[in-house]
Amino acid sequence: MTSIASNLQAVIARIAAAAQACGRRPDDIRLLAVSKTWPAECVAEAADAGQRAFGENYVPEGADKAEALLGRGLEWHFIGPLQSNKTRLVANAFDWVHSIDRLKIAERLSAQRDPARPPLNVCLQVNVSGEASKSGVAPDAVPALAEAVAGLPGLRLRGLMAIPEPTDDAALLRRRFAGLREQRDALNAAGLALDTLSMGMSHDLEAAIAEGATIVRVGTAIFGARH
Ligand SMILES: *Cc1c(COP(=O)(O)O)cnc(C)c1O
């Protein structure tokens, strides 16, 4: 077995253990393998081991890999910061975008998505840590943005995404993840039908799963340390 295949198995086992520890079904948590900076050969190796969904942060790099591996039935998720001059490529090279943080970007993606294809799945990225430097929409601006995005024909609003500030404070992390879940629940109570909480990475996926993550985005634990 290759190291990517065995790392993948270990991550899948961590997800299952974390789900069981909080009484959730492992099948309700999807693994997004974050392949940014790794060549298409590494993605192919993970795909050979059964992994279907891949996350990328950089537009041309991600689109090139999707193109190179076309026909393998993979699903591509854009998870990085998105500038408006890059939306056209993202709108059609990817199946999901997790990092919507303003309406203008969402409107462009909606208008540029090929109408012959299913709507692009999107999540709003929420700035749960309140740091000025972090991307993501401020929590109090989420309801209005969610309403507006939900009305765009080329998009399907699936849920919320967050990247908490780096911290060793386990209780703080849990509060950040719980806050995102509460925000998703509030939007659903207001009439939206959001099924996705994209939260948790290599070092904190257990805490995210305990708070309701439905997609964990894992890079380092699968592919190794990025250079
Ligand atoms: C790089 C990245 C990840 C993966 O992080 P790891 O710590 O390598 O698992 C997850 N989400 C986003 C948005 C990223 O940019």
Side-chain angles (χ1 to χ4, degrees):
M1 199 188 299
T2 67
S3 65
I4 288 176
S6 65
N7 290 346
L8 203 48
Q9 244 178 30
V11 169
I12 291 166
R14 275 177 67 189
I15 292 170
Q20 268 143 19
C22 60
R24 298 184 60 200
R25 299 188 325 156
D27 284 354
D28 291 341
I29 299 135
R30 288 195 75 198
L31 172 58
L32 181 63
V34 177
S35 45
K36 65 180 178 212
T37 79
W38 297 101
E41 295 73 54
C42 293
V43 175
E45 217 172 296
D48 288 340
Q51 179 62 25
R52 295 267 69 85
F54 292 88
E56 291 282 339
N57 287 54
Y58 310 106
V59 178
E61 179 195 334
D64 286 351
K65 280 181 235 178
E67 174 85 27
L69 296 163
L70 210 67
R72 299 200 49 158
L74 304 183
E75 190 179 283
W76 293 91
H77 295 230
F78 188 78
I79 61 175
L82 185 49
Q83 258 70 59
S84 54
N85 62 349
K86 300 273 174 58
T87 52
R88 186 172 296 281
L89 191 50
V90 169
N92 294 298
F94 289 86
D95 304 292
W96 283 69
V97 174
H98 292 226
S99 46
I100 302 285
D101 62 0
R102 53 197 200 278
L103 184 57
K104 183 185 172 197
I105 295 287
E107 287 172 339
R108 289 178 66 93
L109 289 170
S110 175
Q112 292 166 344
R113 176 73 167 178
D114 177 354
R117 298 180 61 197
L120 183 65
N121 296 291
V122 300
C123 294
L124 306 186
Q125 181 175 352
V126 182
N127 182 352
V128 292
S129 305
E131 296 161 290
S133 61
K134 272 268 168 67
S135 43
V137 58
D140 61 3
V142 168
L145 182 60
E147 282 297 334
V149 170
L152 295 172
L155 306 184
R156 180 173 168 208
L157 181 61
R158 297 295 295 267
L160 304 178
M161 182 272 244
I163 312 169
E165 69 270 51
T167 175
D168 294 325
D169 181 343
L172 176 64
L173 256 183
R174 286 288 289 263
R175 283 204 303 284
R176 299 299 193 217
F177 290 138
L180 197 71
R181 169 172 44 77
E182 285 158 11
Q183 192 135 41
R184 192 270 320 263
D185 292 347
L187 293 172
N188 281 344
L192 295 174
L194 307 184
D195 61 10
T196 300
L197 277 177
S198 167
M199 58 189 197
M201 315 198 296
S202 292
H203 65 286
D204 59 8
L205 66 88
E206 283 83 3
I209 288 169
E211 294 297 348
T214 65
I215 298 181
V216 291
R217 308 177 311 268
V218 180
T220 308
I222 296 170
F223 296 104
R226 290 177 291 273
H227 309 297

Short mmCIF file of all heavy atoms in Angstrom, two decimals, residues 154-184:
data_model
loop_
_atom_site.label_atom_id
_atom_site.label_comp_id
_atom_site.label_asym_id
_atom_site.label_seq_id
_atom_site.Cartn_x
_atom_site.Cartn_y
_atom_site.Cartn_z
N GLY A 154 -27.87 29.94 -10.39
CA GLY A 154 -26.75 29.06 -10.77
C GLY A 154 -26.08 28.41 -9.58
O GLY A 154 -25.11 27.65 -9.76
N LEU A 155 -26.56 28.73 -8.37
CA LEU A 155 -25.91 28.21 -7.15
C LEU A 155 -26.92 27.43 -6.33
O LEU A 155 -28.13 27.69 -6.36
CB LEU A 155 -25.35 29.36 -6.29
CG LEU A 155 -24.41 30.36 -6.96
CD1 LEU A 155 -23.89 31.34 -5.91
CD2 LEU A 155 -23.25 29.66 -7.66
N ARG A 156 -26.40 26.49 -5.55
CA ARG A 156 -27.22 25.82 -4.53
C ARG A 156 -26.51 26.01 -3.19
O ARG A 156 -25.42 25.46 -2.99
CB ARG A 156 -27.36 24.34 -4.86
CG ARG A 156 -28.20 23.62 -3.82
CD ARG A 156 -28.48 22.18 -4.23
NE ARG A 156 -29.02 21.46 -3.07
CZ ARG A 156 -28.89 20.16 -2.85
NH1 ARG A 156 -28.27 19.41 -3.73
NH2 ARG A 156 -29.39 19.61 -1.77
N LEU A 157 -27.11 26.80 -2.33
CA LEU A 157 -26.50 27.06 -1.03
C LEU A 157 -26.61 25.83 -0.15
O LEU A 157 -27.72 25.40 0.19
CB LEU A 157 -27.16 28.27 -0.36
CG LEU A 157 -26.58 28.65 1.01
CD1 LEU A 157 -25.11 29.02 0.92
CD2 LEU A 157 -27.39 29.79 1.63
N ARG A 158 -25.47 25.24 0.22
CA ARG A 158 -25.46 24.00 0.98
C ARG A 158 -25.20 24.19 2.47
O ARG A 158 -25.60 23.38 3.29
CB ARG A 158 -24.39 23.06 0.40
CG ARG A 158 -24.64 22.65 -1.04
CD ARG A 158 -25.91 21.82 -1.19
NE ARG A 158 -25.80 20.55 -0.49
CZ ARG A 158 -25.39 19.40 -1.04
NH1 ARG A 158 -25.09 19.36 -2.32
NH2 ARG A 158 -25.32 18.29 -0.33
N GLY A 159 -24.45 25.26 2.82
CA GLY A 159 -24.17 25.42 4.25
C GLY A 159 -23.09 26.43 4.53
O GLY A 159 -22.90 27.39 3.77
N LEU A 160 -22.38 26.20 5.63
CA LEU A 160 -21.38 27.15 6.14
C LEU A 160 -20.03 26.47 6.29
O LEU A 160 -19.94 25.28 6.56
CB LEU A 160 -21.83 27.70 7.50
CG LEU A 160 -23.21 28.36 7.56
CD1 LEU A 160 -23.51 28.81 9.00
CD2 LEU A 160 -23.31 29.55 6.60
N MET A 161 -18.98 27.27 6.12
CA MET A 161 -17.61 26.80 6.29
C MET A 161 -16.87 27.75 7.23
O MET A 161 -17.18 28.94 7.26
CB MET A 161 -16.91 26.77 4.93
CG MET A 161 -15.48 26.25 4.94
SD MET A 161 -14.21 27.48 5.27
CE MET A 161 -13.33 27.46 3.72
N ALA A 162 -15.92 27.21 8.02
CA ALA A 162 -15.09 28.09 8.85
C ALA A 162 -13.71 27.48 9.06
O ALA A 162 -13.54 26.27 9.01
CB ALA A 162 -15.74 28.36 10.20
N ILE A 163 -12.75 28.39 9.24
CA ILE A 163 -11.38 28.02 9.64
C ILE A 163 -11.08 28.80 10.92
O ILE A 163 -10.78 29.99 10.85
CB ILE A 163 -10.35 28.44 8.58
CG1 ILE A 163 -10.78 28.02 7.17
CG2 ILE A 163 -8.97 27.90 8.94
CD1 ILE A 163 -9.92 28.63 6.06
N PRO A 164 -11.23 28.20 12.10
CA PRO A 164 -10.94 28.94 13.33
C PRO A 164 -9.46 29.33 13.39
O PRO A 164 -8.64 28.75 12.70
CB PRO A 164 -11.26 27.94 14.45
CG PRO A 164 -12.05 26.86 13.82
CD PRO A 164 -11.65 26.83 12.37
N GLU A 165 -9.17 30.30 14.22
CA GLU A 165 -7.78 30.72 14.40
C GLU A 165 -6.96 29.54 14.95
O GLU A 165 -7.50 28.70 15.67
CB GLU A 165 -7.69 31.90 15.37
CG GLU A 165 -8.03 31.60 16.84
CD GLU A 165 -9.51 31.79 17.18
OE1 GLU A 165 -10.36 31.23 16.45
OE2 GLU A 165 -9.78 32.46 18.18
N PRO A 166 -5.68 29.47 14.60
CA PRO A 166 -4.86 28.38 15.14
C PRO A 166 -4.77 28.52 16.66
O PRO A 166 -4.51 29.61 17.17
CB PRO A 166 -3.47 28.62 14.52
CG PRO A 166 -3.65 29.67 13.48
CD PRO A 166 -4.91 30.40 13.76
N THR A 167 -5.06 27.44 17.36
CA THR A 167 -5.01 27.50 18.83
C THR A 167 -4.86 26.09 19.40
O THR A 167 -5.27 25.12 18.78
CB THR A 167 -6.32 28.12 19.39
OG1 THR A 167 -6.28 28.06 20.83
CG2 THR A 167 -7.56 27.39 18.93
N ASP A 168 -4.24 26.00 20.57
CA ASP A 168 -4.17 24.73 21.28
C ASP A 168 -5.26 24.63 22.32
O ASP A 168 -5.33 23.65 23.07
CB ASP A 168 -2.80 24.59 21.97
CG ASP A 168 -1.68 24.49 20.95
OD1 ASP A 168 -1.91 23.89 19.87
OD2 ASP A 168 -0.57 25.01 21.22
N ASP A 169 -6.10 25.65 22.38
CA ASP A 169 -7.17 25.70 23.37
C ASP A 169 -8.37 24.90 22.85
O ASP A 169 -9.16 25.38 22.03
CB ASP A 169 -7.53 27.18 23.60
CG ASP A 169 -8.63 27.36 24.64
OD1 ASP A 169 -9.33 26.37 24.95
OD2 ASP A 169 -8.78 28.48 25.14
N ALA A 170 -8.47 23.66 23.32
CA ALA A 170 -9.50 22.74 22.80
C ALA A 170 -10.91 23.27 23.06
O ALA A 170 -11.80 23.12 22.22
CB ALA A 170 -9.33 21.36 23.43
N ALA A 171 -11.10 23.91 24.21
CA ALA A 171 -12.44 24.41 24.54
C ALA A 171 -12.83 25.56 23.61
O ALA A 171 -13.97 25.67 23.17
CB ALA A 171 -12.48 24.85 26.00
N LEU A 172 -11.85 26.40 23.30
CA LEU A 172 -12.11 27.52 22.39
C LEU A 172 -12.49 27.00 21.00
O LEU A 172 -13.45 27.46 20.38
CB LEU A 172 -10.88 28.44 22.30
CG LEU A 172 -10.98 29.60 21.30
CD1 LEU A 172 -12.07 30.58 21.72
CD2 LEU A 172 -9.63 30.33 21.17
N LEU A 173 -11.73 26.01 20.54
CA LEU A 173 -12.03 25.40 19.23
C LEU A 173 -13.45 24.86 19.19
O LEU A 173 -14.19 25.08 18.23
CB LEU A 173 -11.08 24.23 18.98
CG LEU A 173 -9.93 24.42 18.01
CD1 LEU A 173 -9.17 23.10 17.88
CD2 LEU A 173 -10.39 24.94 16.67
N ARG A 174 -13.82 24.13 20.25
CA ARG A 174 -15.17 23.57 20.31
C ARG A 174 -16.22 24.68 20.24
O ARG A 174 -17.24 24.54 19.57
CB ARG A 174 -15.37 22.74 21.59
CG ARG A 174 -14.68 21.40 21.60
CD ARG A 174 -15.38 20.40 20.67
NE ARG A 174 -16.68 19.99 21.18
CZ ARG A 174 -16.91 18.87 21.86
NH1 ARG A 174 -15.91 18.04 22.11
NH2 ARG A 174 -18.11 18.57 22.28
N ARG A 175 -15.95 25.80 20.93
CA ARG A 175 -16.91 26.91 20.89
C ARG A 175 -17.03 27.49 19.48
O ARG A 175 -18.11 27.85 19.04
CB ARG A 175 -16.50 28.02 21.87
CG ARG A 175 -16.81 27.72 23.32
CD ARG A 175 -16.94 28.99 24.15
NE ARG A 175 -15.76 29.86 24.11
CZ ARG A 175 -14.63 29.61 24.78
NH1 ARG A 175 -14.50 28.54 25.53
NH2 ARG A 175 -13.61 30.46 24.70
N ARG A 176 -15.89 27.60 18.78
CA ARG A 176 -15.94 28.12 17.40
C ARG A 176 -16.78 27.21 16.52
O ARG A 176 -17.62 27.68 15.75
CB ARG A 176 -14.53 28.22 16.82
CG ARG A 176 -13.58 29.15 17.55
CD ARG A 176 -14.06 30.57 17.55
NE ARG A 176 -13.00 31.47 17.97
CZ ARG A 176 -13.20 32.56 18.73
NH1 ARG A 176 -14.43 32.84 19.18
NH2 ARG A 176 -12.19 33.34 19.04
N PHE A 177 -16.53 25.90 16.61
CA PHE A 177 -17.28 24.96 15.77
C PHE A 177 -18.76 24.95 16.17
O PHE A 177 -19.65 24.91 15.31
CB PHE A 177 -16.68 23.56 15.89
CG PHE A 177 -15.32 23.41 15.25
CD1 PHE A 177 -14.31 22.68 15.88
CD2 PHE A 177 -15.04 23.98 14.01
CE1 PHE A 177 -13.05 22.53 15.29
CE2 PHE A 177 -13.79 23.83 13.41
CZ PHE A 177 -12.79 23.10 14.05
N ALA A 178 -19.02 24.99 17.46
CA ALA A 178 -20.41 25.01 17.93
C ALA A 178 -21.11 26.26 17.43
O ALA A 178 -22.29 26.22 17.05
CB ALA A 178 -20.46 24.94 19.46
N GLY A 179 -20.39 27.37 17.42
CA GLY A 179 -20.98 28.63 16.95
C GLY A 179 -21.42 28.52 15.49
O GLY A 179 -22.48 29.02 15.10
N LEU A 180 -20.60 27.86 14.68
CA LEU A 180 -20.97 27.69 13.27
C LEU A 180 -22.21 26.81 13.14
O LEU A 180 -23.12 27.09 12.35
CB LEU A 180 -19.80 27.09 12.47
CG LEU A 180 -19.91 27.26 10.95
CD1 LEU A 180 -19.70 28.71 10.53
CD2 LEU A 180 -18.94 26.35 10.20
N ARG A 181 -22.24 25.74 13.93
CA ARG A 181 -23.43 24.86 13.89
C ARG A 181 -24.69 25.62 14.31
O ARG A 181 -25.74 25.51 13.67
CB ARG A 181 -23.22 23.66 14.83
CG ARG A 181 -24.50 22.85 15.06
CD ARG A 181 -24.29 21.56 15.81
NE ARG A 181 -23.40 21.68 16.96
CZ ARG A 181 -23.73 22.22 18.13
NH1 ARG A 181 -24.95 22.71 18.34
NH2 ARG A 181 -22.85 22.28 19.11
N GLU A 182 -24.58 26.44 15.36
CA GLU A 182 -25.75 27.19 15.81
C GLU A 182 -26.23 28.17 14.74
O GLU A 182 -27.43 28.36 14.54
CB GLU A 182 -25.42 27.93 17.12
CG GLU A 182 -25.36 26.97 18.31
CD GLU A 182 -24.54 27.51 19.49
OE1 GLU A 182 -24.19 28.71 19.48
OE2 GLU A 182 -24.25 26.71 20.40
N GLN A 183 -25.25 28.75 14.03
CA GLN A 183 -25.62 29.67 12.97
C GLN A 183 -26.34 28.94 11.83
O GLN A 183 -27.34 29.41 11.30
CB GLN A 183 -24.35 30.35 12.45
CG GLN A 183 -24.66 31.53 11.57
CD GLN A 183 -23.80 32.72 11.90
OE1 GLN A 183 -22.60 32.58 12.16
NE2 GLN A 183 -24.38 33.89 11.90
N ARG A 184 -25.84 27.75 11.49
CA ARG A 184 -26.50 26.93 10.45
C ARG A 184 -27.93 26.58 10.91
O ARG A 184 -28.89 26.68 10.15
CB ARG A 184 -25.68 25.67 10.19
CG ARG A 184 -26.05 24.86 8.95
CD ARG A 184 -27.11 23.78 9.20
NE ARG A 184 -26.95 23.05 10.45
CZ ARG A 184 -26.36 21.87 10.58
NH1 ARG A 184 -25.85 21.28 9.53
NH2 ARG A 184 -26.27 21.30 11.78
#
